[in-house]
Amino acid sequence: MTDSLGHRMKFAVVAPSTNTSVQPEYDDMRPRGVTNHFARISIPDTKVTDDESFMVMLENIRSATEETVDVAMSMDPGCVIMGMSAETFWDGAEGADRLHKRMVERTGGVPVIMGSTAVDAAVKAYETKVGPIKKLGILTPYAPVGDANVKRFFEDQGYEVVNIIGLKSQSPMLIAHEDKQKLKRTAIAVSEGVDAIIQCGTNLAFAEVAAMAEFWLEKPVIAINTATYWHALRTMGISDQMDGFGRLLSEF
């Protein structure tokens, strides 16, 4: 017997309690027979004004993540999606690998999908259509210390980060308050001289903006929520394609 609603796949999604963008964006991408089940990492909405306060926020997430994964596993998911971003880039490719191994150990071998490696997989998928992608423009909601770790991850993977802009959002909850016009302007600002644009920060509601920007910038624009959900679907053998979220979900 399989789950009556999630008969194709039950995703457990682990995300900070302050995040109000990842759940609606994932649900908009959800194929029939696939269900998303959110487990919230309980954190306060601390003010973020500099690198030090950014690290306080990150440590709040780190200290509660494994316990939240344990809660998520009680519904017997087929796959766990880390609906969080900064921690998956921390300490570059080596740090991402360590985190992934720790999470898979915690889930008892159930597959775990992370934003950092999902975006890298998305870039490689685009390369099959548009050719080599070497130069990146990146936008984030982070303080400089967060941007530095994102940059390090992509450089570890062999990319050149030409432009990176962190919006320095004032709290984890307020990341979701960054409006679409500001995101559009930032995407344009990081697009000069690059092969692709990447957005990090799962609480930035960028999936719809990315799909539009990809059309008028005429180059890949990869939203982390789109990339992560796409990678989860494809990893679990679900090949459904969907319009409205850019070429990643409609073609690959």
Side-chain angles (χ1 to χ4, degrees):
M1 297 291 289
T2 57
D3 189 277
S4 60
L5 297 180
H7 55 89
R8 299 174 70 194
M9 179 56 51
K10 291 189 296 184
F11 286 130
V13 184
V14 177
S17 56
T18 51
N19 189 311
T20 57
S21 296
V22 67
Q23 183 168 357
E25 289 196 337
Y26 281 9
D27 283 347
D28 285 346
M29 301 173 204
R30 182 178 64 85
R32 184 178 181 183
V34 176
T35 51
N36 304 323
H37 306 277
F38 276 72
R40 295 290 184 170
I41 302 167
S42 180
I43 64 167
D45 186 38
T46 53
K47 298 304 178 186
V48 178
T49 57
D50 52 22
D51 284 349
E52 183 177 359
S53 52
F54 184 90
M55 291 305 303
V56 169
M57 176 194 70
L58 191 64
E59 289 300 330
N60 287 337
I61 294 172
R62 286 172 173 169
S63 66
T65 295
E66 292 188 359
E67 179 181 328
T68 306
V69 170
D70 293 344
V71 172
M73 293 307 296
S74 66
M75 45 73 66
D76 191 26
C79 177
V80 175
I81 305 174
M82 305 304 290
M84 49 197 273
S85 176
E87 177 68 352
T88 73
F89 291 98
W90 218 261
D91 291 332
E94 183 181 348
D97 185 60
R98 285 198 308 269
L99 176 63
H100 185 257
K101 287 178 178 176
R102 192 168 77 248
M103 291 298 102
V104 171
E105 182 178 357
R106 196 79 181 189
T107 66
V110 171
V112 175
I113 304 298
M114 304 195 318
S116 55
T117 48
V119 171
D120 185 48
V123 173
K124 289 176 170 57
Y126 271 98
E127 287 185 314
T128 66
K129 299 278 188 177
V130 304
I133 295 173
K134 298 300 181 186
K135 297 182 178 183
L136 303 179
I138 301 175
L139 63 134
T140 84
Y142 303 145
V145 66
D147 290 343
N149 278 273
V150 170
K151 185 173 184 286
R152 176 180 171 183
F153 174 84
F154 286 109
E155 289 177 342
D156 285 351
Q157 302 291 8
Y159 304 104
E160 178 186 354
V161 177
V162 176
N163 306 312
I164 186 165
I165 294 177
L167 299 178
K168 302 180 180 66
S169 299
Q170 295 296 294
S171 83
M173 183 272 293
L174 288 174
I175 293 171
H177 290 211
E178 306 288 5
D179 65 69
K180 291 179 180 179
Q181 289 297 321
K182 185 175 184 178
L183 298 179
K184 169 194 167 184
R185 292 191 297 269
T186 308
I188 293 170
V190 300
S191 68
E192 187 68 30
V194 304
D195 303 314
I197 296 103
I198 290 169
Q199 170 262 326
C200 303
T202 60
N203 205 20
L204 280 181
F206 193 72
E208 183 182 5
V209 176
M212 293 185 289
E214 195 165 63
F215 176 74
W216 35 259
L217 291 175
E218 299 186 42
K219 59 184 70 178
V221 181
I222 301 172
I224 194 167
N225 286 344
T226 305
T228 307
Y229 201 73
W230 163 84
H231 194 44
L233 290 171
R234 300 300 182 258
T235 298
M236 302 313 296
I238 299 169
S239 57
D240 299 46
Q241 295 177 321
M242 184 180 299
D243 293 327
F245 295 96
R247 297 179 66 186
L248 193 60
L249 270 176
S250 65
E251 297 183 25
F252 307 127

